[in-house]
Amino acid sequence: MRYRAFGRTGLKVSVLGFGCWPMAGDRYGAIEDDEAVKAIHRALDRGVNCVDTAPAYGGGHSEEVVARALETRRRDVILVTKCGVKPPPPGQLGPLRDSSRANILRELDASLKRLRTDWVDVLLVHWPDASTAFEETMRGLEEVVTSGRVRFVGVSNFTGAMMAECIRTRRIDVSQVGYHMFDRRQEGETFPTCLTHGIGVMGYGSLGHGLLTGAFTAATSFGDPARDWRGNGVAFGQPIFRGDNFKTNIGVVERLHQEIALPRGVPLSQIALAWVLGHPAISTALVGARTPAEVDANDAGTELDLTGEERAKIDAILTGAAGRVREFTPLRPAMEPWGAEIPAGGSA
């Protein structure tokens, strides 16, 4: 396992981070808790030292599974959780965003109980909240650091402009954003700010939310969006899983497999991870795994370096992707399109 500086925190983070969204049990289909615990243990045994969860993942269930897994290994990991998203009142659509000081304190208390720990290493605001001033949010984050219950703080799914406003009140230690071959918006949106200010970056969706595993075909159906969010067709503002876009993207994935992965003699998932880790802004690439076998499949990608020629060929193949958008507008719901689609063959 390789390790990188986690921004200016002084921490060294494994380039592969364990993402616990699938352990919510309600977003990627059923997942068995015992297997999930074994998967985390396998990842730690292989050198992963970053575990990322959130109270919004399965109404706290993911945090409870993480607590089981870390019962005797808490000090071995950089534990990351989030705040600022809460369930709606009965009968109201949600989730609701609330990054007020009071809610940050309330959510942190609840997370620490579920995680069965006295502190978290990183606390992130999960999504920007239009109804709370960033100054209040950042002062709330500073308060939990001063209290000793959180070591470092940051934001998730914030635009570059939002981050600049936050920094006026308090330093951002860590940013978490979606980044993979089918979503390169952060290369222009937040990565320059992170590189300038020494902000650690956690990239999620590293395998294109499963698209870059090579496990899907044009006939794949994700079924009810209530059980698997990809059934809605939209991934964080981009309809890359929808209808003909999905079929086109399966063709792009097949080309990546044939022209890049096969000549290297490695699975496409390892190429996808190496591609994410090739960006200098990235500290750790988050990947979810439901079983120890899935952990093993991802691990080797952390040791792979792509050549300039391979990266150029990947760029050329990715121009054929469908459903990408230029806009990054995280105040809107994550599973609706955020802008006009870039035509396949167009420049992102």
Side-chain angles (χ1 to χ4, degrees), residues 271-295:
I271 297 290
L273 275 175
W275 183 90
V276 168
L277 293 170
H279 197 288
I282 292 286
S283 308
T284 186
L286 294 173
V287 178
R290 307 187 213 196
T291 64
E294 288 185 4
V295 173

Side-chain angles (χ1 to χ4, degrees), residues 16 23 25 65 67 75 95 184 193 215 228 267 329:
L16 192 66
M23 290 175 187
V65 174
R75 294 188 178 275
R184 302 179 65 167
T193 299
D228 188 321
T329 53

Side-chain angles (χ1 to χ4, degrees), residues 19-102:
C20 297
W21 189 19
M23 290 175 187
D26 66 343
R27 304 306 287 151
Y28 275 100
I31 176 167
E32 214 276 318
D33 290 351
D34 290 343
E35 279 296 290
V37 169
K38 289 176 188 172
I40 293 177
H41 287 169
R42 179 67 64 86
L44 299 183
D45 291 344
R46 298 199 73 137
V48 170
N49 74 348
C50 181
V51 175
D52 175 77
T53 184
Y57 300 164
H61 184 70
S62 174
E63 289 183 324
E64 292 166 351
V65 174
V66 168
R68 279 183 56 194
L70 299 185
E71 197 166 10
T72 62
R73 306 186 70 167
R74 171 66 188 91
R75 294 188 178 275
D76 298 341
V77 305
I78 298 168
L79 179 57
V80 183
T81 194
K82 306 180 186 75
C83 62
V85 173
K86 62 184 185 181
Q92 187 176 328
L93 289 176
L96 303 178
R97 300 184 187 185
D98 184 353
S99 300
S100 65
R101 171 190 173 276

Side-chain angles (χ1 to χ4, degrees), residues 283-347:
S283 308
T284 186
L286 294 173
V287 178
R290 307 187 213 196
T291 64
E294 288 185 4
V295 173
D296 294 341
N298 295 330
D299 187 61
T302 65
E303 301 298 320
L304 196 66
D305 290 312
L306 297 174
T307 66
E309 185 180 348
E310 285 171 322
R311 293 187 74 88
K313 190 180 284 190
I314 288 168
D315 284 348
I317 293 170
L318 290 176
T319 61
R324 296 172 300 159
V325 305
R326 292 185 179 87
E327 290 78 9
F328 181 68
T329 53
L331 289 175
R332 297 177 63 182
M335 304 312 170
E336 69 175 35
W338 288 352
E341 295 180 32
I342 301 167
S347 173

Side-chain angles (χ1 to χ4, degrees), residues 21 27 94-95 97 126-127 157 183 185 204 209 229 232-239 242 328-338:
W21 189 19
R27 304 306 287 151
R97 300 184 187 185
H126 204 155
W127 285 89
N157 303 305
D183 186 357
R185 290 171 290 181
Y204 69 78
H209 308 293
W229 63 272
N232 184 49
V234 181
F236 301 93
Q238 297 198 130
R242 182 177 285 174
F328 181 68
T329 53
L331 289 175
R332 297 177 63 182
M335 304 312 170
E336 69 175 35
W338 288 352

Side-chain angles (χ1 to χ4, degrees), residues 222-283:
F222 298 104
D224 182 0
R227 295 298 301 154
D228 188 321
W229 63 272
R230 292 168 296 194
N232 184 49
V234 181
F236 301 93
Q238 297 198 130
I240 57 174
F241 287 98
R242 182 177 285 174
D244 289 341
N245 287 347
F246 179 64
K247 292 174 184 170
T248 297
N249 290 336
I250 290 295
V252 170
V253 168
E254 180 56 25
R255 279 195 66 191
L256 290 167
H257 174 68
Q258 293 290 339
E259 298 177 38
I260 308 295
L262 277 185
R264 268 291 188 119
V266 299
L268 179 57
S269 61
Q270 292 181 19
I271 297 290
L273 275 175
W275 183 90
V276 168
L277 293 170
H279 197 288
I282 292 286
S283 308

